[in-house]
């Protein structure tokens, strides 16, 4: 796989890179309270398909499942299952994909190039800023900085390809 040079990604095939299964380790920090938590699990990037099984449009389904550990309101630790899902759609450039919520609402653009590695999403009343970093052929990370009147959080995720899945 051709990885992009730092700061560039003109010919990088983001869909091809993501396709497959990844282990994810996430740290969560509520900066306002100092509360820390973790999430560990698996992220699967699978092709979006039509009911007849054919490739829909070059898009991917992002499905994450795992276990979250976070202190509860009573102070006792909570550990339990957590999951989420997004849809990724191709853009005019192979190096980026647009991410959507499952209901079709736009979320942000994902990529590793200079112009595409950072994105912002407004979720009233807070601002979510994300940065993607390509570590290597089987590793990447992203970091959410969430600020506003309701939240002050830092959420960092590291993904590592599960051996034997497509590169």
């Amino acid at each position: 796989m051709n990885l992009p040079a730092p700061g560039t990604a003109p010919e990088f095939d983001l869909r091809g890179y993501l396709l497959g299964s990844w282990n994810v380790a996430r740290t969560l920090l509520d900066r306002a309270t100092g509360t820390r938590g973790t999430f560990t699990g698996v992220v699967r990037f699978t092709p979006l398909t039509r009911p007849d099984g054919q490739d829909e449009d070059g898009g991917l389904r992002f499905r994450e499942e795992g276990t979250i550990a976070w202190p509860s309101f009573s102070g006792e630790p909570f550990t339990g299952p957590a999951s989420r899902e997004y849809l990724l759609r191709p853009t005019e450039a192979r190096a980026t994909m647009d991410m959507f919520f499952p209901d079709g609402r736009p979320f942000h653009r994902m990529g590793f190039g200079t112009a595409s590695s950072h994105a912002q999403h407004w979720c009233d009343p807070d601002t979510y800023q994300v940065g993607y970093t390509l570590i290597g052929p089987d590793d990447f990370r992203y970091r959410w900085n969430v600020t506003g009147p309701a939240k002050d959080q830092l959420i960092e995720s590291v993904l590592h390809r599960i051996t034997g899945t497509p590169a």
Side-chain angles (χ1 to χ4, degrees):
M1 160 156 302
N2 290 335
L3 293 178
T8 64
E11 298 301 320
F12 185 63
D13 177 10
L14 181 60
R15 183 185 191 274
Y17 177 77
L18 294 174
L19 196 59
S21 298
W22 301 74
N23 287 315
V24 59
R26 179 172 301 127
T27 58
L28 306 106
L29 170 63
D30 183 329
R31 291 181 285 223
T33 64
T35 303
R36 294 179 181 274
T38 60
F39 173 87
T40 56
V42 174
V43 174
R44 289 180 180 83
F45 293 95
T46 58
L48 287 175
T49 56
R50 297 187 311 239
D52 63 5
Q54 295 298 310
D55 191 349
E56 187 171 298
D57 66 356
L60 292 173
R61 182 173 313 282
F62 171 128
R63 174 81 179 154
E64 175 181 278
E65 296 177 311
T67 303
I68 191 166
W70 187 259
S72 67
F73 289 111
S74 68
E76 294 297 314
F78 165 81
T79 301
S83 65
R84 63 181 172 176
E85 188 170 310
Y86 300 106
L87 306 175
L88 285 91
R89 302 275 184 196
T91 65
E92 64 283 348
R94 293 179 59 207
T96 61
M97 295 189 85
D98 285 335
M99 192 175 295
F100 295 85
F101 293 101
D103 65 5
R105 289 177 296 129
F107 190 16
H108 68 280
R109 181 161 286 184
M110 179 185 187
F112 296 114
T114 303
S116 61
S117 65
H118 290 82
Q120 185 169 298
H121 176 77
W122 170 255
C123 186
D124 194 16
D126 301 306
T127 300
Y128 287 65
Q129 296 176 318
V130 65
Y132 290 94
T133 304
L134 183 65
I135 300 170
D138 296 315
D139 304 273
F140 73 96
R141 71 174 160 246
Y142 56 94
R143 177 182 186 193
W144 284 99
N145 184 35
V146 184
T147 57
K151 295 180 182 171
D152 188 6
Q153 300 174 341
L154 181 62
I155 305 164
E156 297 180 286
S157 302
V158 177
L159 284 78
H160 179 75
R161 185 183 311 281
I162 296 173
T163 305
T165 64

